[in-house]
Coordinates of all heavy atoms in Angstrom, one line a residue:
M903 N -7.9 -11.0 -11.3 CA -7.3 -10.2 -12.3 C -6.4 -9.2 -11.6 O -6.7 -8.6 -10.6 CB -8.4 -9.4 -13.0 CG -7.9 -8.5 -14.1 SD -9.2 -7.8 -15.1 CE -9.4 -6.2 -14.4
M904 N -5.1 -9.1 -12.1 CA -4.2 -8.2 -11.5 C -4.4 -6.8 -11.9 O -4.7 -6.5 -13.1 CB -2.7 -8.6 -11.9 CG -2.3 -9.9 -11.3 SD -2.4 -10.0 -9.5 CE -1.0 -9.1 -9.0
E905 N -4.4 -5.9 -11.0 CA -4.6 -4.4 -11.2 C -3.4 -3.7 -10.5 O -2.8 -4.2 -9.6 CB -5.9 -4.0 -10.6 CG -7.1 -4.6 -11.3 CD -8.4 -4.0 -10.8 OE1 -8.4 -2.8 -10.4 OE2 -9.4 -4.7 -10.7
T906 N -3.2 -2.5 -10.9 CA -2.2 -1.6 -10.3 C -2.9 -0.3 -9.9 O -3.6 0.3 -10.7 CB -1.0 -1.4 -11.2 OG1 -0.4 -2.6 -11.6 CG2 0.1 -0.6 -10.5
I907 N -2.6 0.1 -8.7 CA -3.2 1.4 -8.2 C -2.1 2.2 -7.6 O -1.1 1.7 -7.0 CB -4.3 1.1 -7.1 CG1 -5.0 2.4 -6.8 CG2 -3.8 0.4 -5.9 CD1 -6.0 2.9 -7.8
K908 N -2.2 3.5 -7.8 CA -1.2 4.5 -7.2 C -2.0 5.3 -6.1 O -3.0 5.9 -6.5 CB -0.6 5.4 -8.3 CG 0.4 6.3 -7.7 CD 1.0 7.1 -8.9 CE 2.1 8.0 -8.4 NZ 2.7 8.8 -9.6
L909 N -1.5 5.2 -4.9 CA -2.2 5.9 -3.8 C -1.2 7.0 -3.2 O 0.0 6.8 -3.1 CB -2.5 4.9 -2.7 CG -3.4 3.8 -3.1 CD1 -3.4 2.7 -1.9 CD2 -4.8 4.3 -3.4
T910 N -1.8 8.1 -2.9 CA -1.1 9.2 -2.1 C -1.2 8.9 -0.7 O -2.4 8.8 -0.2 CB -1.6 10.6 -2.5 OG1 -1.4 10.7 -3.9 CG2 -0.8 11.6 -1.8
V911 N -0.1 8.8 0.1 CA -0.2 8.5 1.5 C 0.6 9.6 2.3 O 1.7 9.8 2.0 CB 0.4 7.1 1.8 CG1 0.4 6.8 3.2 CG2 -0.3 6.1 1.0
E912 N -0.1 10.2 3.2 CA 0.5 11.2 4.1 C 1.0 10.5 5.4 O 0.4 9.6 5.9 CB -0.6 12.2 4.5 CG -1.2 13.0 3.3 CD -0.2 13.9 2.6 OE1 0.8 14.4 3.3 OE2 -0.3 14.1 1.4
G913 N 2.1 11.1 5.9 CA 2.6 10.7 7.2 C 3.9 9.8 7.1 O 4.5 9.6 8.1
M914 N 4.3 9.4 5.9 CA 5.5 8.6 5.7 C 6.7 9.6 5.7 O 6.6 10.6 4.9 CB 5.4 7.8 4.4 CG 4.4 6.8 4.4 SD 4.4 5.7 2.9 CE 4.3 6.9 1.6
S915 N 7.7 9.3 6.5 CA 8.8 10.2 6.5 C 10.2 9.6 6.5 O 11.2 10.3 6.4 CB 8.7 11.1 7.7 OG 8.8 10.3 8.9
C916 N 10.3 8.3 6.6 CA 11.6 7.6 6.7 C 11.5 6.2 6.2 O 10.5 5.7 5.8 CB 12.1 7.6 8.1 SG 11.0 6.7 9.2
E917 N 12.7 5.5 6.2 CA 12.7 4.2 5.7 C 11.9 3.2 6.6 O 11.4 2.2 6.1 CB 14.2 3.7 5.6 CG 14.9 4.2 4.4 CD 14.2 3.9 3.1 OE1 13.8 2.7 2.8 OE2 14.0 4.8 2.2
H918 N 11.8 3.5 7.9 CA 11.0 2.7 8.8 C 9.5 2.7 8.3 O 8.9 1.7 8.3 CB 11.1 3.2 10.2 CG 10.1 2.6 11.1 ND1 10.2 1.3 11.6 CD2 8.9 3.0 11.5 CE1 9.2 0.9 12.3 NE2 8.3 1.9 12.3
C919 N 9.1 3.9 7.9 CA 7.7 4.0 7.3 C 7.5 3.1 6.1 O 6.5 2.4 5.9 CB 7.4 5.4 7.0 SG 7.5 6.6 8.4
V920 N 8.5 3.2 5.2 CA 8.5 2.4 4.0 C 8.4 0.9 4.3 O 7.6 0.2 3.8 CB 9.7 2.7 3.1 CG1 9.8 1.7 1.9 CG2 9.7 4.1 2.6
R921 N 9.3 0.4 5.2 CA 9.3 -1.0 5.6 C 7.9 -1.4 6.3 O 7.4 -2.5 6.0 CB 10.4 -1.3 6.6 CG 11.8 -1.3 5.8 CD 12.9 -1.9 6.7 NE 13.1 -1.1 7.9 CZ 13.9 0.0 8.0 NH1 14.5 0.4 7.0 NH2 14.0 0.6 9.2
A922 N 7.4 -0.5 7.1 CA 6.2 -0.8 7.8 C 5.0 -1.0 6.9 O 4.3 -2.0 6.9 CB 5.8 0.3 8.9
V923 N 4.9 -0.1 5.9 CA 3.8 -0.2 5.0 C 4.0 -1.4 4.0 O 3.1 -2.2 3.7 CB 3.6 1.1 4.2 CG1 2.7 1.0 3.0 CG2 3.2 2.2 5.1
T924 N 5.2 -1.5 3.5 CA 5.5 -2.6 2.6 C 5.3 -4.0 3.2 O 4.7 -4.9 2.6 CB 7.0 -2.5 2.1 OG1 7.1 -1.2 1.5 CG2 7.3 -3.6 1.1
S925 N 5.7 -4.1 4.5 CA 5.5 -5.4 5.2 C 4.1 -5.7 5.4 O 3.6 -6.8 5.2 CB 6.3 -5.3 6.5 OG 6.1 -6.5 7.3
A926 N 3.3 -4.7 5.9 CA 1.9 -4.9 6.2 C 1.1 -5.3 4.9 O 0.3 -6.2 4.9 CB 1.3 -3.7 6.8
L927 N 1.4 -4.6 3.8 CA 0.7 -4.9 2.5 C 1.1 -6.3 2.0 O 0.3 -7.0 1.5 CB 0.9 -3.8 1.5 CG 0.3 -2.5 1.8 CD1 0.7 -1.5 0.8 CD2 -1.3 -2.6 1.8
S928 N 2.4 -6.6 2.1 CA 2.9 -7.8 1.5 C 2.4 -9.1 2.2 O 2.3 -10.1 1.6 CB 4.5 -7.8 1.6 OG 5.0 -6.8 0.8
K929 N 1.9 -8.9 3.4 CA 1.3 -10.1 4.2 C -0.1 -10.4 3.7 O -0.6 -11.5 4.0 CB 1.3 -9.8 5.7 CG 2.7 -9.7 6.3 CD 2.6 -9.3 7.7 CE 4.0 -9.2 8.3 NZ 4.0 -8.7 9.7
L930 N -0.7 -9.5 3.0 CA -2.1 -9.7 2.6 C -2.2 -10.6 1.4 O -1.4 -10.6 0.4 CB -2.7 -8.3 2.2 CG -2.8 -7.3 3.3 CD1 -3.3 -6.0 2.7 CD2 -3.7 -7.8 4.5
K931 N -3.2 -11.5 1.4 CA -3.4 -12.4 0.2 C -3.9 -11.5 -1.0 O -4.8 -10.7 -0.9 CB -4.5 -13.4 0.6 CG -4.7 -14.4 -0.4 CD -5.8 -15.5 0.1 CE -5.9 -16.6 -1.0 NZ -6.8 -17.6 -0.5
G932 N -3.2 -11.8 -2.1 CA -3.6 -11.1 -3.3 C -2.7 -9.9 -3.7 O -2.9 -9.3 -4.7
I933 N -1.8 -9.6 -2.8 CA -0.9 -8.5 -3.1 C 0.3 -9.0 -3.9 O 1.0 -10.0 -3.6 CB -0.4 -7.8 -1.8 CG1 -1.6 -7.2 -1.1 CG2 0.7 -6.7 -2.1 CD1 -2.2 -6.0 -1.7
G934 N 0.7 -8.2 -5.0 CA 1.9 -8.5 -5.8 C 3.0 -7.6 -5.3 O 3.4 -7.6 -4.2
N935 N 3.4 -6.7 -6.2 CA 4.5 -5.8 -5.9 C 4.0 -4.6 -5.2 O 2.9 -4.1 -5.4 CB 5.2 -5.3 -7.2 CG 5.9 -6.4 -7.9 OD1 6.5 -7.3 -7.2 ND2 5.9 -6.5 -9.2
V936 N 4.8 -4.1 -4.3 CA 4.5 -2.8 -3.5 C 5.7 -2.0 -3.7 O 6.8 -2.4 -3.4 CB 4.3 -3.1 -2.0 CG1 4.0 -1.8 -1.3 CG2 3.1 -4.1 -1.8
K937 N 5.5 -0.7 -4.2 CA 6.6 0.2 -4.3 C 6.2 1.5 -3.6 O 5.2 2.1 -4.0 CB 6.9 0.5 -5.8 CG 8.1 1.4 -6.0 CD 8.5 1.6 -7.4 CE 9.7 2.5 -7.5 NZ 9.8 3.2 -8.7
V938 N 7.0 1.9 -2.6 CA 6.8 3.1 -1.9 C 7.8 4.2 -2.3 O 9.0 3.9 -2.4 CB 6.9 2.9 -0.4 CG1 6.7 4.2 0.4 CG2 6.0 1.8 0.1
D939 N 7.3 5.4 -2.6 CA 8.2 6.5 -3.0 C 8.0 7.6 -2.0 O 7.0 8.3 -2.0 CB 7.8 7.0 -4.4 CG 8.8 8.1 -4.9 OD1 9.4 8.7 -4.1 OD2 8.9 8.3 -6.1
L940 N 8.9 7.7 -1.1 CA 8.8 8.8 0.0 C 8.8 10.2 -0.6 O 8.0 11.0 -0.1 CB 10.0 8.7 0.9 CG 10.0 7.7 2.1 CD1 11.3 7.7 2.9 CD2 8.8 7.9 2.9
A941 N 9.6 10.4 -1.6 CA 9.6 11.8 -2.1 C 8.3 12.3 -2.7 O 7.9 13.4 -2.4 CB 10.7 11.9 -3.3
S942 N 7.6 11.4 -3.3 CA 6.3 11.8 -3.9 C 5.1 11.4 -3.0 O 3.9 11.7 -3.3 CB 6.1 11.2 -5.3 OG 6.0 9.8 -5.2
K943 N 5.4 10.8 -1.8 CA 4.4 10.3 -0.9 C 3.4 9.4 -1.6 O 2.2 9.5 -1.3 CB 3.7 11.5 -0.2 CG 4.6 12.3 0.6 CD 3.9 13.5 1.2 CE 4.8 14.3 2.0 NZ 4.2 15.5 2.6
T944 N 3.9 8.5 -2.4 CA 3.0 7.6 -3.1 C 3.4 6.1 -2.9 O 4.5 5.8 -2.6 CB 3.0 7.8 -4.6 OG1 4.3 7.7 -5.1 CG2 2.5 9.2 -5.0
I945 N 2.4 5.3 -3.1 CA 2.6 3.8 -3.0 C 1.9 3.3 -4.3 O 0.7 3.6 -4.5 CB 1.9 3.2 -1.8 CG1 2.5 3.8 -0.5 CG2 2.1 1.7 -1.8 CD1 1.8 3.3 0.8
I946 N 2.7 2.5 -5.0 CA 2.1 1.7 -6.1 C 1.9 0.3 -5.7 O 2.9 -0.3 -5.3 CB 3.0 1.9 -7.4 CG1 3.1 3.3 -7.8 CG2 2.5 1.0 -8.5 CD1 4.1 3.6 -8.9
V947 N 0.7 -0.2 -5.8 CA 0.4 -1.5 -5.3 C -0.2 -2.3 -6.5 O -1.1 -1.9 -7.2 CB -0.7 -1.5 -4.2 CG1 -0.9 -2.9 -3.7 CG2 -0.2 -0.6 -3.1
E948 N 0.4 -3.5 -6.7 CA -0.1 -4.5 -7.7 C -0.9 -5.5 -6.9 O -0.4 -6.1 -5.9 CB 1.0 -5.1 -8.5 CG 0.6 -6.1 -9.5 CD 1.7 -6.7 -10.2 OE1 2.3 -7.7 -9.7 OE2 2.1 -6.2 -11.3
F949 N -2.2 -5.7 -7.3 CA -3.0 -6.6 -6.5 C -4.0 -7.4 -7.4 O -4.3 -6.9 -8.4 CB -3.7 -5.9 -5.4 CG -4.8 -4.9 -5.9 CD1 -6.1 -5.2 -5.8 CD2 -4.4 -3.6 -6.4 CE1 -7.1 -4.3 -6.3 CE2 -5.3 -2.7 -6.8 CZ -6.7 -3.1 -6.8
N950 N -4.4 -8.5 -6.8 CA -5.4 -9.3 -7.5 C -6.8 -8.9 -7.0 O -7.1 -9.2 -5.8 CB -5.2 -10.8 -7.3 CG -6.1 -11.7 -8.0 OD1 -7.3 -11.4 -8.3 ND2 -5.6 -12.9 -8.4
S951 N -7.6 -8.2 -7.8 CA -8.9 -7.7 -7.3 C -9.9 -8.8 -7.0 O -10.9 -8.6 -6.4 CB -9.4 -6.7 -8.3 OG -9.6 -7.3 -9.6
D952 N -9.6 -10.0 -7.4 CA -10.5 -11.2 -7.1 C -10.2 -11.6 -5.7 O -11.1 -12.3 -5.1 CB -10.3 -12.3 -8.0 CG -10.7 -12.0 -9.5 OD1 -11.6 -11.2 -9.6 OD2 -10.1 -12.6 -10.4
L953 N -9.1 -11.3 -5.1 CA -8.7 -11.7 -3.8 C -8.7 -10.7 -2.7 O -8.8 -11.0 -1.5 CB -7.3 -12.4 -3.8 CG -7.1 -13.6 -4.7 CD1 -5.7 -14.0 -4.8 CD2 -8.0 -14.7 -4.3
I954 N -8.5 -9.4 -3.1 CA -8.5 -8.3 -2.1 C -9.1 -7.0 -2.8 O -8.9 -6.8 -4.0 CB -7.0 -8.1 -1.6 CG1 -7.0 -7.1 -0.5 CG2 -6.1 -7.6 -2.7 CD1 -5.7 -7.1 0.3
S955 N -9.7 -6.2 -1.9 CA -10.3 -5.0 -2.4 C -9.4 -3.8 -2.2 O -8.6 -3.8 -1.3 CB -11.7 -4.8 -1.8 OG -11.5 -4.4 -0.4
L956 N -9.7 -2.8 -2.9 CA -9.0 -1.5 -2.7 C -9.2 -1.0 -1.3 O -8.3 -0.5 -0.6 CB -9.4 -0.5 -3.8 CG -8.7 0.9 -3.7 CD1 -7.2 0.8 -3.7 CD2 -9.2 1.8 -4.8
T957 N -10.4 -1.2 -0.8 CA -10.8 -0.7 0.6 C -9.9 -1.4 1.6 O -9.4 -0.8 2.5 CB -12.3 -1.0 0.8 OG1 -13.1 -0.3 -0.1 CG2 -12.7 -0.6 2.2
E958 N -9.7 -2.8 1.4 CA -8.9 -3.5 2.4 C -7.4 -3.0 2.3 O -6.8 -2.9 3.4 CB -8.9 -5.0 2.0 CG -10.2 -5.7 2.3 CD -10.3 -7.1 1.8 OE1 -10.3 -7.3 0.6 OE2 -10.3 -8.0 2.6
I959 N -6.9 -2.6 1.1 CA -5.6 -2.1 1.0 C -5.5 -0.8 1.7 O -4.5 -0.6 2.5 CB -5.2 -2.0 -0.5 CG1 -5.1 -3.3 -1.1 CG2 -3.9 -1.2 -0.6 CD1 -5.0 -3.3 -2.6
K960 N -6.4 0.1 1.5 CA -6.4 1.4 2.2 C -6.5 1.3 3.7 O -5.9 2.0 4.5 CB -7.6 2.3 1.7 CG -7.3 2.8 0.2 CD -8.5 3.6 -0.2 CE -8.3 4.2 -1.6 NZ -9.4 5.0 -2.1
E961 N -7.4 0.3 4.2 CA -7.5 0.1 5.6 C -6.2 -0.4 6.2 O -5.9 0.0 7.4 CB -8.7 -0.9 5.9 CG -10.0 -0.3 5.7 CD -11.1 -1.3 5.8 OE1 -10.9 -2.6 5.9 OE2 -12.3 -0.9 5.8
T962 N -5.5 -1.2 5.5 CA -4.2 -1.8 6.0 C -3.2 -0.6 6.2 O -2.5 -0.5 7.2 CB -3.7 -2.8 5.1 OG1 -4.6 -3.9 5.0 CG2 -2.3 -3.4 5.6
I963 N -3.2 0.3 5.2 CA -2.3 1.4 5.3 C -2.7 2.3 6.5 O -1.8 2.8 7.3 CB -2.3 2.2 4.0 CG1 -1.7 1.3 2.9 CG2 -1.5 3.5 4.1 CD1 -1.9 1.9 1.5
T964 N -4.0 2.6 6.6 CA -4.5 3.4 7.7 C -4.2 2.7 9.1 O -3.8 3.4 10.0 CB -6.0 3.6 7.6 OG1 -6.3 4.2 6.3 CG2 -6.6 4.5 8.7
D965 N -4.3 1.4 9.2 CA -4.0 0.7 10.4 C -2.5 0.8 10.8 O -2.2 0.7 12.0 CB -4.4 -0.8 10.3 CG -5.9 -1.0 10.2 OD1 -6.6 -0.1 10.6 OD2 -6.2 -2.2 9.9
E966 N -1.7 1.1 9.8 CA -0.3 1.3 10.1 C 0.0 2.7 10.6 O 1.1 3.1 11.0 CB 0.6 1.0 8.9 CG 0.7 -0.5 8.6 CD 1.4 -1.3 9.7 OE1 2.4 -0.9 10.2 OE2 0.8 -2.3 10.0
G967 N -1.0 3.6 10.6 CA -0.9 4.9 11.1 C -0.7 6.0 10.1 O -0.3 7.2 10.4
Y968 N -1.0 5.7 8.8 CA -0.8 6.7 7.7 C -2.2 7.0 7.2 O -3.1 6.3 7.3 CB 0.1 6.1 6.7 CG 1.4 5.7 7.3 CD1 1.7 4.4 7.5 CD2 2.4 6.6 7.7 CE1 2.9 3.9 8.1 CE2 3.6 6.2 8.3 CZ 3.8 4.9 8.5 OH 5.0 4.5 9.1
T969 N -2.2 8.1 6.5 CA -3.5 8.6 5.9 C -3.4 8.5 4.4 O -2.5 9.0 3.7 CB -3.7 10.1 6.2 OG1 -3.7 10.3 7.7 CG2 -5.0 10.6 5.7
V970 N -4.4 7.8 3.8 CA -4.5 7.6 2.4 C -5.4 8.8 1.9 O -6.5 9.0 2.3 CB -5.2 6.3 2.0 CG1 -5.3 6.2 0.5 CG2 -4.4 5.1 2.6
A971 N -4.7 9.6 1.0 CA -5.4 10.9 0.5 C -6.3 10.5 -0.6 O -6.2 9.5 -1.3 CB -4.4 11.9 0.1

């Protein structure tokens, strides 16, 4: 089942950050659209909850060096 979650992420400051997070999330099985908004420090992720958990999504962002609030 497809779900959409909005996460607040600290530490993103430039387009490199946007690309790093988007690329890492897009490689995961079950991820649909990923939209990063630097101004509001948010990431909107569409994902299939049957294939990937919210915990896995948050861990992937953390592994890239950012903090999920």
